[in-house]
Amino acid sequence: MHRSASAPRPPDPEEAPTHLPTLLAVACAGDPAALRAVYQTQARRLFGIAEAVLRDADAAADALQDAFLRMADGAERFDRARGLAAADWLAEVVRRSALDLARRRGREEPLADAAPSGAGDVAPDTLARVAAHAEGRRVLECLDALPEGQRRCVLLAHAHGLSHAQVAERVGVPPGTAKAWIRRGLIRLKDCLG
Amino acid sequence: MTPPGDGDGGDLDALAAEYVLGTLTASAAAEVERAIAAGDAPLRDAVAAWRRRLAPLAALAPAREPPPGLWDRIEAALPPPLARIADAPPPPRPRRVRWPAFAAAAGGWGLAAGLALVLAGVLSRPPPGPALVTMMVPGREAPAWFVEAHPGGELRLVSVNGRPPPDPARVPQLWALPPGGADPVSLGVIPSAGLLTLPPGAVQPREGTLMEITSEPIGGSPTGRPTGPVLFIGKLHPPLRSLSGALNLAHAPAGTLYAVRVFGPGVSRPR
């Protein structure tokens, strides 16, 4: 399942046979056929995003269902003008559903699961996937410029959908420290990314 | 932009950043969403900027196969089309239009009810500004096409629900027949990718323009007119007011967006 660093770049969803921005606009207007086409072309990627946050296949399925239903009933509307590519917008909607569910499932408690992605924080092949695109390389460069603690906390929080307390436990620092590192890391990240 | 850490601007930006990163507690995240829904533009813009910054990190998650049957579960939970249309703001003085081609086709697919429901919302006049039409599913597994046409001329054809089984000896060719026109105009052979974008000038989309896909020999019709059976057919129509009202396309490029569900097979070209 993991893609190696040398793997070819995955097809750009914007260029996929089903033109994603059009499908999303139609799907969010309540068309089940378009919604289904979105699911068919995007479900593997989106399920991965939900599962990374929830680390539970059943919960990830619930999150994906929630995201698609919110699109179907018009609660989420894809707006081409807001600057987020269609594939990124979709990922964001699903990630938000997953985070909401993680919070309802008591995320503020310390980690129940020991090592979401093996021994390391974020596997190297995971970073390679991000580096497959120019925008991703830019984010990684800016993350690499952070002090190690800040970088680790920000990456952990995003990759596994962790709360401050969970990041703190994972990194082995007090919660206040993890919170401060994340905040400082994000400020520096913004300075770097613009 | 206010420098980070500098009073409210920095706090707002940090809040937006942590909201997008996902570290906020449930109550703090809900507070952000309430504020944006209530019209907090600076916070909304800060969140949008952070979404753009962090978007590449979505690739941190490896793709994973969802459980089989998940789509069926989602589909079963979808609100019925009637509810979606009824919930939308009512259009001003709607005038219903007839669509004989679709009515005939609907009979063949046994879905007159669902389709009529959608057509009831079609207006004869497009709303001001850009909008989009959508048609409902002809059938769960039925292949379909969306044609998205701007009055300026750009036209895009998108396949939905997969494509019909390829016949190695035939190719699908797209045609347009304006209302009152005698002969369909070829818009070209549809690439196997199922996506065709035509530059302005290839066709002047108008309400009522008949779009059809025929089965032709490799390379396209040798005569410049359709020679094979009609695989898919449908008419360009102005947007559904009730649905387009739910679309936030206010900043989309100027020009009304037309879209039509083109479907078949076994539909004959209406006179």
Side-chain angles (χ1 to χ4, degrees), chain B residues 26-132:
Chain B
S27 59
E31 191 55 46
V32 169
E33 283 161 12
R34 267 196 299 275
I36 290 174
D40 187 332
L43 183 58
R44 180 200 64 204
D45 293 346
V47 164
W50 273 105
R51 282 180 177 154
R52 283 194 294 275
R53 283 184 200 111
L54 298 184
L57 293 182
L60 286 170
R64 304 261 293 151
E65 200 62 49
L70 178 55
W71 169 255
D72 289 344
R73 228 176 79 188
I74 293 172
E75 191 178 41
L78 289 176
L82 181 61
R84 283 198 296 274
I85 290 175
D87 289 346
R93 287 179 296 140
R95 196 157 70 78
R96 295 180 183 191
V97 294
R98 296 179 183 282
W99 205 331
F102 273 110
W109 284 87
L111 42 96
L115 198 61
L117 193 79
V118 176
L119 294 180
V122 177
L123 289 177
S124 63
R125 204 157 31 99
L132 192 70

Side-chain angles (χ1 to χ4, degrees), chain B residues 137-236:
Chain B
V137 215
R140 269 193 51 174
E141 303 298 334
W145 301 82
F146 281 108
V147 177
E148 190 189 65
H150 299 258
E154 189 194 353
L155 184 140
R156 183 181 288 130
L157 178 83
V158 186
S159 85
V160 176
N161 274 3
R163 295 175 289 283
D167 176 348
R170 311 285 291 180
V171 291
Q173 188 164 354
L174 181 67
W175 307 84
L177 179 63
D183 297 314
V185 177
S186 172
L187 300 179
V189 171
I190 299 168
S192 56
L195 177 68
L196 176 66
T197 301
L198 297 169
V203 63
Q204 189 58 46
R206 289 163 56 191
E207 178 178 352
T209 294
L210 198 65
M211 308 294 301
E212 61 183 47
I213 297 172
T214 60
S215 172
E216 301 293 341
I218 302 284
S221 163
T223 68
R225 303 185 55 174
T227 62
V230 176
L231 300 176
F232 296 87
I233 192 161
K235 268 182 188 171
L236 283 185

Side-chain angles (χ1 to χ4, degrees), chain A residues 91-109:
Chain A
E92 215 277 324
V93 169
V94 169
R95 189 158 192 278
R96 205 146 21 91
S97 279
L99 285 168
D100 284 347
L101 186 53
R103 290 180 184 117
R104 285 203 298 278
R105 286 160 56 99
R107 184 183 69 152
E108 305 314 317
E109 304 297 316

Side-chain angles (χ1 to χ4, degrees), chain A:
Chain A
M1 197 66 70
H2 288 208
R3 216 187 305 272
S4 76
S6 60
R9 178 181 159 153
D12 183 346
E14 300 284 341
E15 296 162 7
T18 42
H19 185 253
L20 195 54
T22 299
L23 285 180
L24 280 180
V26 177
C28 294
D31 188 314
L35 194 71
R36 180 186 172 85
V38 171
Y39 183 90
Q40 284 172 334
T41 55
Q42 302 288 319
R44 287 185 74 252
R45 185 175 73 94
L46 299 176
F47 187 74
I49 288 169
E51 208 182 29
V53 169
L54 289 156
R55 295 178 290 285
D56 176 310
D58 289 342
D62 288 345
L64 205 56
Q65 171 164 349
D66 175 67
F68 272 78
L69 292 182
R70 284 193 291 122
M71 285 188 268
D73 70 14
E76 300 287 346
R77 292 171 198 164
F78 174 60
D79 183 344
R80 300 172 202 228
R82 293 214 59 86
L84 212 53
D88 292 339
W89 179 86
L90 200 47
E92 215 277 324
V93 169
V94 169
R95 189 158 192 278
R96 205 146 21 91
S97 279
L99 285 168
D100 284 347
L101 186 53
R103 290 180 184 117
R104 285 203 298 278
R105 286 160 56 99
R107 184 183 69 152
E108 305 314 317
E109 304 297 316
L111 276 180
D113 41 1
S117 107
D121 283 345
V122 175
D125 65 333
T126 300
L127 295 175
R129 261 197 314 275
V130 177
H133 298 261
E135 303 80 15
R137 281 194 292 279
R138 179 98 187 97
V139 176
L140 290 184
E141 281 166 19
C142 288
L143 278 169
D144 285 343
L146 300 180
E148 179 54 21
Q150 293 178 16
R151 173 186 176 278
R152 221 181 140 198
C153 288
V154 170
L155 260 180
L156 266 177
H158 197 288
H160 304 304
L162 303 186
S163 66
H164 287 136
Q166 290 173 327
V167 170
E169 190 196 10
R170 196 71 185 293
V171 178
V173 296
T177 303
K179 191 171 179 176
W181 281 357
I182 285 173
R183 181 174 272 235
R184 276 185 236 141
L186 287 169
I187 289 169
R188 292 176 70 145
L189 199 58
K190 181 185 170 187
D191 286 342
C192 179
L193 288 168

